[in-house]
Every structure is written in C-alpha cells, then in structure tokens.
Amino acid sequence: MTAPLRRWLTPVVAVLAALAILAGPAAPALAAPSTPTPSGHEEDDEPKLLTDVIELRNREYAKAKSQLEKSKKRQLQLALEVRRAEDELTALRPQVSQIAAQSYRTGRIGAVAMLLESDAPDSFVKRASALDELNMVNAEKLSRVTAARNRAQQAKLALDGEVRVQQRLANAMARESQEAEKALALVGGEGFTGGLVDAKSPVARIGPGRTSDGGWLPESRTANDPTTSGMITPRTLHAYNEVRRAGFKRFAGCYRPGGPWEHPKGRACDWSLQNSGFAPWHNNDTRMYGNNLAAFLIRNADRLGIYYVIWNRQIWFPATGWRSYSGPSNHTDHVHMSLL
C-alpha cells in the first residue's frame, strides 16, 4: 500500500480500532459520584421507630431498583447509538476499498498525481473540485463517526458508573433493612412490641466488675438502694443510674427481701410504666416506654452485665433471646432486670 493511501486510511483504521474496543469489554469507568445518604434529609430530634426505619430502607431500596431499571433502558439506547456509529463506519468501507483498488491499478494516487493527469484546464478544475469534494465527504463522514463514537463511549462510561452506584445503593438498602429486622428481633419482634420501639438506644457506660475477657466478677450488696432502704450491688446501682441517665425516670423498685430470685440478692430492679405504683400498659405511651426500656437493657446487656430481662409475658436471656414467659407476674406492668 502506498504512503498517501496509508495516510488517508490511518484515521479510518483508528476509528475501526476504537469501535472494536468499544464493542468489546467495557473500558475503565469514570469515577462514580458519591452515593447519596439513604434518608435524603437531615436527622431530626424525634426518635425513629424500627418499623419507620424498615419502611424507609425499603422505600429507598425500591427507588434504587427503579433507577437501575432506567439505567438498563438507557443502556439499550446506548447500544443503538453504537450500532448507528458502526453503520456510519461501514458506509465508508466501499469507498476505502475503491481507493485501494485504484491505487493497486494505477500506483500512487496522491493529490498532485491526480491533478497532473488532467490534460486541459477544464479537466484540471474538475479533478481539483472532485478531489476537494471527496476530501470534504470523507472528512465529514469521519467526523460523524468520531462524534458518534465519542458520544457512545462517554455515555457508556457514565452509565457504567451510574449502575455501580445504584447497585451499591441497593445492596446497602438490603443490608440496612436486614440490620433493622435483626434489631427488631432483638427487642422481641413487631408482634411483641407493636412496632412501638426506638430504632436505637443510648450507649451505656460499662458497669463495675467487668473482667478483661468480658466476664463479670461476683459482687455483694454493698451499695445503698436509691429506691428502698435496702442494699444492692454496685453493678445494680450502676445499671439503675444508667437507665435513669437514658431518660427512664418513672417509678422503680430494686431491693426486696425474701424469695429465691435476684431482688433479695440486690441484683434486680423493677421499672414501672407509671410515675407512681404499678399498672399494666394500656396505651401507646406506656407500651412504648416498656418497649424502649427493655430495648435499652438488651442493647447494652454486655456493658451492664444483664442476666435476663422480663417484659410483657416474654423473658430474654443473652444466650437464647426472647422466649415466652409465664410466672407469678405476667410483667405487663413493669420491666424486670436482673444483673449477673
């Protein structure tokens, strides 16, 4: 192939190579935009219920899924755009073949040689016009193919980034929904709580007597009980103070003489739903108070040294989770905590 023909074919070959690469494995994508926060709005001071959190996560998951579907449709449009670019390039191939064949028959087909073949001024002008027109046509077609190729490449890179973002968002929503479901199971499930429980609780300070391996040293009743004239363990007093620090300040009683359980050992407290005395929960306020108090104890069980919690006909142990409970009291009027 002659040097002039090679020079003319160089941009065409470059376009062919670019389109071949584009049609193959995807090129490295552009940096994707940062993933938006799932909530999409500022946090307020109102506590969010676990059911609200689950609903929010699922709404965002559904939105992410919808955005993924839109991305897939845009990818189909992109494929059509790439095909149009390839068709434009295909339209150039017969002309390239024609020039190559003419070069094979006549030798060099440079612009000067083409013009010198004219034997009259009119012929010279016609050949010059034809050459100029050919160059313009080829340049225009190559420009269109290059532009289409660039559009397709940029669009695909952008879509690849968008799809990755949406996939990460969908995965994050699925994980958050699962975490919310696990948290709801931790506090007894939606049927047990009626969904009336905060999505998160304050973090309690670690109680006294915790060992480096996570165990708890035995304690005696050496601390004054702030709810009675009796004595309780330092760990029970610490847990009592932490519960109140978390905002649960309704009536409570800890030490109680007699019986085989933890009250006479100074290792238990009963948290009423009322400001004075005990009465079963009868509205959303009292039910949510008990739910949230139980949730606080369970979520901080490892920090407070919780042995078990009883609330609303259910008992919770760290090793087993929630189980049905039936005893002398059904514990619908208070939350019971026992300490190790």
Side-chain angles (χ1 to χ4, degrees), residues 135-196:
N135 288 337
M136 290 179 62
V137 169
N138 290 342
E140 182 181 353
K141 288 184 177 180
L142 285 174
S143 177
R144 287 202 306 269
V145 172
T146 301
R149 186 264 323 240
N150 289 339
R151 287 195 305 271
Q153 188 176 31
Q154 292 302 318
K156 190 172 190 312
L157 290 174
L159 273 175
D160 286 344
E162 179 185 354
V163 169
R164 284 195 303 275
V165 168
Q166 299 309 324
Q167 286 174 338
R168 286 200 300 270
L169 184 60
N171 291 338
M173 292 307 103
R175 286 194 301 271
E176 288 176 8
S177 180
Q178 290 169 1
E179 288 301 316
E181 289 284 6
K182 283 193 288 186
L184 189 58
L186 179 66
V187 294
E190 186 172 359
F192 173 49
T193 63
L196 299 171

Side-chain angles (χ1 to χ4, degrees), residues 86-322:
E86 291 176 341
D87 289 343
E88 288 187 60
L89 183 60
T90 300
L92 284 175
R93 287 173 183 160
Q95 192 168 1
V96 172
S97 299
Q98 181 181 6
I99 295 173
Q102 186 176 1
S103 175
Y104 177 78
R105 292 193 306 270
T106 63
R108 185 176 179 179
I109 190 170
V112 174
M114 184 176 180
L115 292 175
L116 289 177
E117 288 178 5
S118 61
D119 53 5
D122 289 345
S123 177
F124 183 90
V125 172
K126 288 180 180 179
R127 284 179 176 272
S129 298
L131 180 61
D132 185 57
E133 182 178 352
L134 177 62
N135 288 337
M136 290 179 62
V137 169
N138 290 342
E140 182 181 353
K141 288 184 177 180
L142 285 174
S143 177
R144 287 202 306 269
V145 172
T146 301
R149 186 264 323 240
N150 289 339
R151 287 195 305 271
Q153 188 176 31
Q154 292 302 318
K156 190 172 190 312
L157 290 174
L159 273 175
D160 286 344
E162 179 185 354
V163 169
R164 284 195 303 275
V165 168
Q166 299 309 324
Q167 286 174 338
R168 286 200 300 270
L169 184 60
N171 291 338
M173 292 307 103
R175 286 194 301 271
E176 288 176 8
S177 180
Q178 290 169 1
E179 288 301 316
E181 289 284 6
K182 283 193 288 186
L184 189 58
L186 179 66
V187 294
E190 186 172 359
F192 173 49
T193 63
L196 299 171
V197 60
D198 286 351
K200 57 184 179 180
S201 298
V203 176
R205 292 174 290 200
I206 297 176
R210 187 178 182 182
T211 62
S212 59
D213 61 1
W216 296 91
L217 297 173
E219 290 184 336
S220 300
R221 295 189 297 114
T222 59
N224 291 326
D225 177 12
T227 68
T228 70
S229 59
M231 303 290 287
I232 56 178
T233 67
R235 190 173 303 132
T236 303
L237 177 60
H238 172 81
Y240 171 86
N241 289 330
E242 288 300 287
V243 172
R244 288 184 61 83
R245 190 170 72 91
F248 302 100
K249 298 181 179 180
R250 297 180 186 179
F251 182 74
C254 296
Y255 176 77
R256 185 170 68 241
W261 311 114
E262 286 72 43
H263 280 291
K265 299 175 183 178
R267 296 196 286 118
C269 291
D270 288 333
W271 301 91
S272 174
L273 314 179
Q274 318 297 327
N275 290 320
S276 62
F278 293 86
W281 67 265
H282 59 280
N283 55 25
N284 286 349
D285 171 70
T286 50
R287 187 178 187 183
M288 188 169 181
Y289 185 86
N291 288 341
N292 287 339
L293 204 160
F296 171 80
L297 295 173
I298 292 167
R299 288 168 179 157
N300 288 283
D302 292 339
R303 303 179 70 84
L304 296 175
I306 297 294
Y307 175 21
Y308 60 85
V309 174
I310 309 175
W311 160 239
N312 200 19
R313 302 184 179 90
Q314 300 281 321
I315 186 170
W316 181 89
F317 286 96
T320 60
W322 287 102

